[in-house]
Amino acid sequence: MAYFLNTIMGSIAPMCVTALVTLAITLIFKTSYTTNFAQGVISAFGAYMVAYFLNQKGLPIWASLPIGMIVSMVIATLIDVLIFRRGRYVNALGKQIITMGLISIIVGAIPLIFGIAVPQFTAFIDGTLSAEIFDGSVTVTKNALVCGGITIVVIVAIFVALRFSKWGLSVRATASNEYVAGMMGINTHIVTAVSWGLAGALGALAAAINASSGNTVGIYFMTNYQVYAFLAGILGGFSSFYGPVVVALMIPLANNLVQYFVNIAGAPEMTKWSMVIVYAVALVIIFFKPQGIFGKRIAKKV
Amino acid sequence: MNKFLSNKYAFLGKEQKANTALTNKMRGALKNSTWQFLIFGALICVIGYLAVNKVIPYSLQSGIATTLAYSIAAIGFCLLMGYSGLASLGTGGFIGIGTYSVYYIMNESNMSFAIAIIVALLVSVVIGIIVGFISLRIEGIYLCILTLGLSEILRNLYMALEDTIKISNFEIFGMLVKRQSSIYIVAVVLVVIMIITQNLINSPTGRAMLAMKNSTAAAQAMGISLIKYRLLAFVICTAYAAISGVMLMVCMRAATASDGTGFYALITSLNILAAVIIGGYKSIWGAVFGTYIMYGLQTTLLNRIEVLQENPVIITFVSGVLVILVVMFYPGGIAQLIWELKGKLKKLFTKLKEVRYGKDLG
């Protein structure tokens, strides 16, 4: 039982990262009508930015994280204003290619701006908590708990804003139909730009959490989470905001649980197949529920 | 005397006629796509021959060989996207089918190259049919993401099977294939693929796919079986990607699955997609040219410029800008650009003629 709880505690950080990235991708998907393949590298850019303030300017992580998030937010907004807004009438595939071009631009820009050295990252807070429960001790790093706290606060704040604020209403209106929302007096340009800005900030936060829990920062170090996020998006159904986030919390957990059960069953060499199993189950679910677990059925017009 | 002269002139005329007939035939051959492909293949072989004999630098040859290998996958994608209106981001994973078939058949089981290709084709047909069935239920961006998921499954599968694979020199029809001479095989396979694809596009199958792209409902009303052609499109795309993987293995001799920028990573699928978009998604030449821009331009051309040699990231940066510009201003790709230039040149020539000879009133 203690082992089981430890498995869950170990999944806190990846769950936070996936949930934040998924929320960012969902926001862009709903307002710009495209899958943002550049989210992974935009997030990595945020991590480099936070690391820059951390290492070069000598700020503590509590100060450098918000500054890094704000800078990423500005840059993501600029991406929308300068590039994406002009390409909004390109067809769906064309938009995907634009985000793909963004990947190349950012991948090229990161070494030009920050140099090629691997940035060092510190945890938000050091130390571990452990408790004696059932038949063993359950250990969790304080850093994971802090990350979990930040993530919950941020996600709840965004959902509350989406549900109750005027901005949330305009986002939901733009998501359901951009043209009509525009006709009703909503400035869809601003809605899209703010979504991109939020996505940049969320990406930076996600990357910082990922880096603070011990992963090496690199240009492609968020791409895996981006793929999880896409999968969570269609598994949860892009038609709602909460569906993808709920599924995003489940994917890393499922991965670790598969490893747990495989270990329990006495086949530790099978743990490397865990992601294959999770993906396969996800694809089977999508095959039988194409609109997603939480999605509404969309009638197709001829 | 008169008779003699006329005879002589008649002879001359005949020769002239024969000459024009020959040039006409050659012109016809240049306009015939099959001959174009064959000439292209021959040119590649000449470049390969020059590179093997060290007349031109070797890096040029390896860059071109990589481009050709990837462009097989791009042509398959071209058929899928430009002619069937479906999009997939599984190319990276499908390429792995080819590389792992080569590895397991040739290196582990010591069987011949032909068997490796056949196994790659069989596996890819099965995978293609699975994706095709999925595509009947899910469309558009969702299908993209789903195939991306499938590609990730395959990549994780490869990592679990054997992370780094390598092959050594092997024999085809009794001839030893070294890494340097792999360009010949790739060129031959690419030309065969190009000819098959061109004929497929011009056949009823190609027209059925085009109908399906424009409107599935209208195509079904005209009696086109959606299942049949969607499955076919995906099977062809997957099979081409697998062959491309086989060829990449022949050129590169090694692959690592966990590499974030390797053959099976998301970036490969995106690069192939970008190559097809840049080149023009309905043109075989466009696909090859787009692939060259994405994969070959850096190693063959830009690396010779000194400023870029020191900062290779500039190339990545510029290629990103280029991709965005092409998509925003030339959605039909470079094929469209060339088409428009052709039209403009024609207009210019007629105008020049008008200036010289006066307006054609007839």
Side-chain angles (χ1 to χ4, degrees):
Chain A
M1 193 63 200
Y3 179 38
F4 181 73
L5 284 177
N6 271 329
T7 309
I8 292 179
M9 291 303 165
S11 336
I12 289 180
M15 280 161 74
C16 295
V17 179
T18 318
L20 289 170
V21 173
T22 308
L23 187 55
I25 282 180
T26 315
L27 270 173
I28 291 183
F29 186 90
K30 301 276 280 187
T31 52
S32 292
Y33 303 95
T34 189
T35 49
N36 182 14
F37 291 116
Q39 185 64 47
V41 284
I42 290 176
S43 309
F45 185 88
Y48 274 89
M49 204 46 127
V50 175
Y52 172 79
F53 286 111
L54 196 67
N55 297 330
Q56 312 291 328
K57 302 283 175 199
L59 293 174
I61 190 156
W62 290 108
S64 50
L65 177 66
I67 299 176
M69 279 170 70
I70 289 168
V71 176
S72 314
M73 189 171 189
V74 171
I75 287 173
T77 314
L78 281 181
I79 288 175
D80 177 55
V81 172
L82 296 180
I83 300 171
F84 229 81
R85 184 174 292 176
R86 281 150 219 277
R88 66 200 294 117
Y89 299 115
V90 177
N91 62 5
L93 271 172
K95 281 185 178 174
Q96 289 185 324
I97 301 299
I98 292 179
T99 63
M100 139 92 215
L102 283 176
I103 295 183
S104 298
I105 291 180
I106 296 169
V107 165
I110 286 178
L112 287 179
I113 299 171
F114 301 106
I116 48 171
V118 177
Q120 296 302 310
F121 228 91
T122 50
F124 289 99
I125 184 166
D126 288 324
T128 53
L129 287 178
S130 41
E132 297 290 328
I133 310 174
F134 303 109
D135 47 348
S137 72
V138 178
T139 315
V140 57
T141 60
K142 283 181 186 167
N143 190 50
L145 291 179
V146 170
C147 293
I150 298 175
T151 310
I152 290 171
V153 168
V154 168
I155 289 183
V156 167
I158 289 180
F159 272 104
V160 167
L162 276 175
R163 190 77 193 84
F164 298 109
S165 77
K166 211 171 172 185
W167 167 76
L169 188 63
S170 56
V171 168
R172 280 182 287 139
T174 311
S176 80
N177 193 327
E178 197 182 356
Y179 292 101
V180 177
M183 278 186 239
M184 294 293 148
I186 291 168
N187 191 339
T188 51
H189 281 183
I190 290 182
V191 169
T192 317
V194 169
S195 298
W196 274 83
L198 262 181
L202 288 173
L205 178 61
I209 288 176
N210 191 13
S212 73
S213 51
N215 290 316
T216 321
V217 178
I219 294 175
Y220 294 109
F221 90 122
M222 293 295 288
T223 312
N224 254 350
Y225 289 99
Q226 179 193 333
V227 175
Y228 290 175
F230 287 140
L231 200 66
I234 41 172
L235 201 53
F238 267 126
S239 53
S240 67
F241 279 99
Y242 62 87
V245 177
V246 171
V247 176
L249 290 171
M250 284 173 358
I251 289 178
L253 190 64
N255 182 23
N256 283 353
L257 284 183
V258 169
Q259 289 186 2
Y260 165 78
F261 284 119
V262 163
N263 272 330
I264 288 279
E269 74 278 359
M270 288 287 287
T271 47
K272 58 184 178 181
W273 293 85
S274 62
M275 217 48 231
V276 178
I277 296 168
V278 172
Y279 274 126
V281 171
L283 285 197
V284 170
I285 294 176
I286 293 168
F287 188 74
F288 288 107
K289 270 187 89 72
Q291 69 276 14
I293 300 173
F294 301 99
K296 286 165 262 175
R297 200 172 184 83
I298 301 161
K300 195 176 154 193
K301 287 178 209 156
V302 175
Chain B
M1 183 70 193
N2 216 354
K3 205 179 175 186
F4 173 71
L5 261 180
S6 68
N7 260 354
K8 191 182 175 188
Y9 283 121
F11 170 69
L12 270 178
K14 232 182 218 167
E15 193 173 79
Q16 236 165 11
K17 237 182 221 165
N19 252 338
T20 47
L22 196 68
T23 44
N24 273 346
K25 229 179 210 173
M26 273 174 73
R27 254 187 222 160
L30 279 177
K31 277 196 177 161
N32 180 332
S33 51
T34 309
W35 279 103
Q36 283 174 354
F37 296 145
L38 287 174
I39 292 167
F40 175 72
L43 277 178
I44 296 292
C45 286
V46 168
I47 291 177
Y49 182 77
L50 291 177
V52 170
N53 292 312
K54 304 212 168 67
V55 180
I56 51 173
Y58 175 69
S59 66
L60 198 70
Q61 184 257 15
S62 75
I64 291 176
T66 321
T67 306
L68 297 184
Y70 274 118
S71 52
I72 296 173
I75 290 172
F77 198 79
C78 205
L79 199 71
L80 187 72
M81 195 166 80
Y83 285 86
S84 322
L86 301 161
S88 106
L89 285 175
T91 322
F94 302 152
I95 282 176
I97 300 171
T99 58
Y100 277 84
S101 308
V102 168
Y103 174 71
Y104 277 111
I105 298 299
M106 281 163 58
N107 232 32
E108 302 286 285
S109 323
N110 283 324
M111 282 188 270
S112 75
F113 184 65
I115 295 179
I117 287 195
I118 291 169
V119 168
L121 284 177
L122 287 179
V123 176
S124 61
V125 165
V126 172
I127 302 260
I129 287 174
I130 293 173
V131 184
F133 270 115
I134 295 175
S135 81
L136 291 174
R137 292 179 65 91
I138 300 163
E139 280 178 333
I141 284 181
Y142 296 92
L143 183 63
C144 271
I145 301 174
L146 205 70
T147 47
L148 176 86
L150 195 69
S151 173
E152 280 300 303
I153 290 189
L154 289 173
R155 193 167 80 93
N156 279 293
L157 189 76
Y158 302 146
M159 282 199 291
L161 281 174
E162 190 90 57
D163 196 9
T164 304
I165 52 170
K166 275 186 186 138
I167 61 163
S168 43
N169 291 346
F170 56 93
E171 285 186 349
I172 300 178
F173 305 126
M175 280 183 298
L176 191 70
V177 179
K178 287 184 191 158
R179 205 180 151 179
Q180 291 94 310
S181 46
S182 55
I183 192 169
Y184 301 126
I185 300 170
V186 182
V188 169
V189 172
L190 177 64
V191 169
V192 171
I193 291 273
M194 280 169 131
I195 293 172
I196 292 175
T197 315
Q198 183 69 32
N199 285 318
L200 198 72
I201 288 171
N202 291 333
S203 72
T205 312
R207 266 172 277 146
M209 284 180 178
L210 212 53
M212 191 171 75
K213 179 196 173 190
N214 289 328
S215 162
T216 45
Q220 273 176 314
M222 299 305 288
I224 290 166
S225 157
L226 218 55
I227 299 182
K228 184 180 158 194
Y229 288 102
R230 281 217 169 151
L231 289 190
L232 189 67
F234 266 108
V235 164
I236 291 171
C237 177
T238 323
Y240 280 14
I243 292 175
S244 159
V246 171
M247 291 303 136
L248 279 172
M249 208 57 193
V250 169
C251 299
M252 298 290 196
R253 299 293 157 106
T256 308
S258 54
D259 184 359
T261 52
F263 292 156
Y264 328 123
L266 171 62
I267 201 82
T268 305
S269 312
L270 290 176
N271 275 343
I272 296 284
L273 179 63
V276 173
I277 296 265
I278 290 176
Y281 55 89
K282 264 191 183 174
S283 139
I284 291 178
W285 288 116
V288 175
F289 188 70
T291 321
Y292 174 71
I293 288 186
M294 296 308 291
Y295 283 104
L297 197 61
Q298 185 169 353
T299 43
T300 56
L301 209 67
L302 297 181
N303 271 358
R304 309 203 181 288
I305 305 168
E306 227 167 85
V307 186
L308 295 178
Q309 218 166 19
E310 282 161 16
N311 306 312
V313 284
I314 294 178
I315 301 171
T316 325
F317 188 84
V318 172
S319 78
V321 174
L322 196 75
V323 166
I324 291 180
L325 288 180
V326 167
V327 171
M328 289 220 257
F329 298 107
Y330 283 95
I334 287 168
Q336 186 200 351
L337 186 72
I338 290 174
W339 190 254
E340 279 180 9
L341 279 182
K342 239 185 195 171
K344 273 185 187 156
L345 275 181
K346 239 181 200 172
K347 258 187 194 167
L348 199 74
F349 275 125
T350 42
K351 228 176 197 175
L352 276 180
K353 257 185 194 168
E354 270 174 24
V355 171
R356 261 179 96 176
Y357 305 115
K359 211 165 191 180
D360 186 5
L361 297 168

